[in-house]
Amino acid sequence: MGLSFFKGVVLFSILVLGGARGHRFDTQNPIVKFRGNDTSTCHDACTALSSSLGSIVHHNTSLPSTLFSGCYTLMQRSTIPLCIVHPESSQDVSEAIKIISRHSCIFAIKSGGHAMFAGGSTAEGGIVLDLHLLNRLELSEDRETAYVGTGSRWGAVYEFLEPWNVTVVGGRVGDVGVGGFLLGGGISFISRRYGWGCDNVRNYEIVLANGTIANVSYTSNPDLYFALRGGGKNFGIVTRFDLETHPTLSQWWGGFNFMILSPSSIQSSLYLTRTFAPTLTYILETISNFLAKIAFVSLLQHANIYAVGTHTIHTSAVQNAPSFTKLVQDLQTKVLHSTLRMESPYGFTKEVDAHNPVGVRMTYNTATFKVNETFIRDVARIYVEEIEQVRHVKGLVSAITTQTLARDEIAQFGRNGGNAFGIKVEDGPLTILLASFGWADENDNEHIVRTAQNVIDRAVILGKEMGVHHPFIYQNYAAKSQDVFGGYSVGNQERLRRVQKEVDPEGVFSRLQPGYFTL
């Protein structure tokens, strides 16, 4: 049974394993009173954009195919804007946001288009600012800062940096866009050592609600700098990230291990002479024991079996590190397929890319908990109970994945005044739980989205009963229905709203950009 057998498993489970040039800007002044969004105002806005920006504006009768091909999920592709703008500079973005604000038309920002739900980076009947042309990459002379355009994708960033043996804290899927990843937090292969992506931004070039182009660093504007580290789309449009670089080896050690729940040992111990057919009770008990120790569990629908797997990377290139080998040994099952090897950091990203094609129907739902083995075992039971209700759905591929957020990783959150999440070192270690579901038929959309939500809702109820639930909801894994900012600390929520009121008093980015998470 080859690797191709497991492509569906990886597709939905691998995403979660493991000197500013700035100035201070003036307080923003209101641009115009909001009149609300309607077809005529957006038509007028598109006309004004075309008049001002020319050929970089496309109306819905001539929308470029890249708008849809770049969207990860099919749900995103079903949302059609009235017009799309392809800015070529921060000045283009500035002019566009002033026109959009003046006409009070809804809009969306698209960096890589990796949002899971409709409207995440598109605007039905509105305007899309597609930033993929803002993809310039530069490295400072001292090689300590990478200047990364928000429209870049992580694979291109790593390929650019590879010859200098430096890297940045970026995405593990190379096709993911830079902008949304960093504004939502950004978990990386090297986060255990350096924190999340947002903790490694030296400076943001940002276009504010009134069109001002500013550079924001910890020294130039600590409040807005704080807000951009986890505050999402609520403060402006970031056009460039100046990222701290880190030295890296040319080779790492790591890869996948794939295993299935084999009944052979049970056959032997029970002296069975007939083919063993796993019962639901057997699946519940066995998966519960696996999930306390591994990265993901997934149903392989056509084979009618459950698979477990790990994805481990050792950035110091220690081959067969004891912690890795013990992990597999503890599972007490045979590794069916392994990709463990020495590989370049960029090579590991390309491996993940190969199993994450765009144009899929998928939903995510997530929650965070204190590490507790009993709880995780019970979550495995919840997952199997829910998946058994939908296993007949055409094209179903599903997984639950756990990722540990260790205390040394949380400690990095406090760099340069701290990020917006409000997670304390003493909260750890935590585990971020992700339920991911893929399917084929549009008619099953509601049913599958609800099932993914059920898994997490039941896990949250159980976690609260056991005293292990943590309110943090990771924005980059969240479903559209989840209250991301409600999971931040109360003090940080209040600070975010104060900053928002200062830089966007008319609510351009909260009221006119409805598709993504709003304060």
Side-chain angles (χ1 to χ4, degrees):
M1 192 178 298
L3 178 60
S4 60
F5 183 76
F6 289 95
K7 283 188 177 180
V9 183
V10 181
L11 173 64
F12 296 100
S13 58
I14 193 55
L15 297 182
V16 280
L17 300 169
R21 298 174 290 183
H23 64 274
R24 195 170 183 86
F25 52 86
D26 296 330
T27 300
Q28 301 297 286
N29 296 315
I31 297 173
V32 67
K33 293 295 183 180
F34 284 92
R35 301 189 301 271
N37 185 71
D38 58 46
T39 303
S40 62
T41 59
C42 286
H43 176 79
D44 292 344
C46 289
T47 300
L49 286 166
S50 294
S51 177
S52 177
L53 296 173
S55 62
I56 66 172
V57 180
H58 305 268
H59 287 265
N60 62 358
T61 54
S62 59
L63 292 176
S65 60
T66 54
L67 170 64
F68 307 105
S69 62
C71 290
Y72 185 46
T73 67
L74 291 175
M75 290 82 81
Q76 279 268 71
R77 298 183 184 193
S78 65
T79 306
I80 311 299
L82 188 63
C83 67
I84 180 171
V85 184
H86 285 154
E88 297 176 346
S89 66
S90 55
Q91 288 75 22
D92 288 343
V93 175
S94 172
E95 180 64 17
I97 198 63
K98 286 188 285 188
I99 292 172
I100 290 169
S101 301
R102 188 179 309 126
H103 290 275
S104 298
C105 179
I106 63 168
F107 70 100
I109 306 300
K110 178 177 176 286
S111 172
H114 217 267
M116 294 293 139
F117 45 82
S121 51
T122 56
E124 183 72 36
I127 298 167
V128 171
L129 299 185
D130 185 338
L131 307 181
H132 79 276
L133 295 178
L134 302 182
N135 58 4
R136 186 172 179 179
L137 300 171
E138 296 182 59
L139 184 64
S140 63
E141 290 187 7
D142 60 11
R143 300 179 186 175
E144 293 184 354
T145 304
Y147 304 104
V148 180
T150 192
S152 302
R153 295 179 186 256
W154 288 111
V157 176
Y158 299 142
E159 185 176 20
F160 170 75
L161 295 174
E162 192 172 43
W164 288 279
N165 287 331
V166 296
T167 192
V168 291
V169 183
R172 291 163 292 188
V173 179
D175 194 54
V176 167
V178 165
F181 174 87
L182 289 174
L183 292 174
I187 303 176
S188 175
F189 284 134
I190 56 175
S191 284
R192 186 64 57 85
R193 186 176 299 173
Y194 300 115
W196 287 6
C198 66
D199 303 313
N200 290 266
V201 181
R202 297 185 188 274
N203 176 73
Y204 300 84
E205 181 186 79
I206 185 172
V207 177
L208 300 170
N210 70 350
T212 297
I213 302 171
N215 279 276
V216 177
S217 68
Y218 179 53
T219 55
S220 70
N221 193 305
D223 283 337
L224 184 52
Y225 178 78
F226 156 83
L228 293 173
R229 293 172 62 187
K233 55 91 175 181
N234 292 282
F235 305 93
I237 303 172
V238 177
T239 52
R240 191 192 71 237
F241 298 85
D242 301 349
L243 303 180
E244 181 178 353
T245 63
H246 302 283
T248 186
L249 298 177
S250 61
Q251 299 277 297
W252 291 348
W253 168 261
F256 297 105
N257 280 315
F258 298 103
M259 295 147 279
I260 62 173
L261 300 182
S262 171
S264 58
S265 60
I266 297 181
Q267 283 184 318
S268 175
S269 62
L270 297 178
Y271 300 98
L272 296 176
T273 58
R274 58 181 173 81
T275 301
F276 179 77
T279 64
L280 182 58
T281 300
Y282 166 77
I283 292 171
L284 286 170
E285 292 297 334
T286 311
I287 287 186
S288 296
N289 289 327
F290 274 93
L291 190 58
K293 305 181 181 76
I294 56 88
F296 58 85
V297 171
S298 178
L299 170 69
L300 301 182
Q301 185 185 37
H302 295 298
N304 197 32
I305 57 175
Y306 284 81
V308 295
T310 63
H311 186 262
T312 47
I313 299 289
H314 203 300
T315 59
S316 294
V318 177
Q319 298 188 38
N320 296 311
S323 58
F324 290 2
T325 55
K326 186 177 187 302
L327 175 65
V328 176
Q329 290 169 358
D330 287 349
L331 294 178
Q332 298 180 350
T333 191
K334 182 179 180 180
V335 175
L336 187 64
H337 182 84
S338 175
T339 68
L340 291 176
R341 68 206 185 280
M342 294 291 292
E343 177 65 89
S344 69
Y346 179 39
F348 284 112
T349 301
K350 289 191 287 186
E351 179 182 39
V352 177
D353 275 345
H355 303 292
N356 286 271
V358 299
V360 295
R361 198 172 298 281
M362 188 199 312
T363 188
Y364 277 5
N365 212 292
T366 187
T368 305
F369 305 90
K370 295 181 181 295
V371 172
N372 182 281
E373 184 173 353
T374 301
F375 167 74
I376 291 297
R377 288 179 174 177
D378 287 342
V379 167
R381 295 172 181 268
I382 290 172
Y383 167 70
V384 173
E385 289 170 1
E386 291 293 337
I387 205 67
E388 288 296 318
Q389 304 301 312
V390 296
R391 64 183 304 152
H392 63 281
V393 169
K394 181 180 179 181
L396 178 68
V397 185
S398 69
I400 48 171
T401 315
T402 60
Q403 175 172 288
T404 301
L405 183 55
R407 287 175 177 167
D408 52 354
E409 189 171 338
I410 298 172
Q412 298 293 329
F413 289 5
R415 299 176 61 193
N416 293 326
N419 61 36
F421 304 133
I423 301 175
K424 302 176 182 178
V425 173
E426 54 267 31
D427 293 341
L430 300 171
T431 185
I432 297 175
L433 180 70
L434 170 67
S436 53
F437 285 71
W439 66 102
D441 194 331
E442 181 180 6
N443 294 325
D444 293 316
N445 284 8
E446 184 178 347
H447 191 188
I448 297 300
V449 169
R450 185 171 63 249
T451 300
Q453 182 177 334
N454 287 347
V455 172
I456 297 301
D457 285 350
R458 291 179 62 186
V460 169
I461 292 171
L462 176 64
K464 289 180 177 179
E465 291 175 352
M466 297 180 63
V468 299
H469 175 253
H470 190 282
F472 177 70
I473 297 173
Y474 181 40
Q475 184 174 161
N476 291 355
Y477 296 162
K480 189 174 185 177
S481 61
Q482 295 189 275
D483 182 8
V484 168
F485 297 108
Y488 290 14
S489 67
V490 173
N492 282 4
Q493 289 183 56
E494 293 175 349
R495 186 179 179 187
L496 288 171
R497 291 191 176 94
R498 287 198 301 270
V499 175
Q500 183 185 42
K501 186 175 181 179
E502 176 186 351
V503 300
D504 185 13
E506 291 290 347
V508 171
F509 292 102
S510 57
R511 298 179 61 186
L512 290 184
Q513 195 183 185
Y516 212 62
F517 302 108
T518 300
L519 273 170

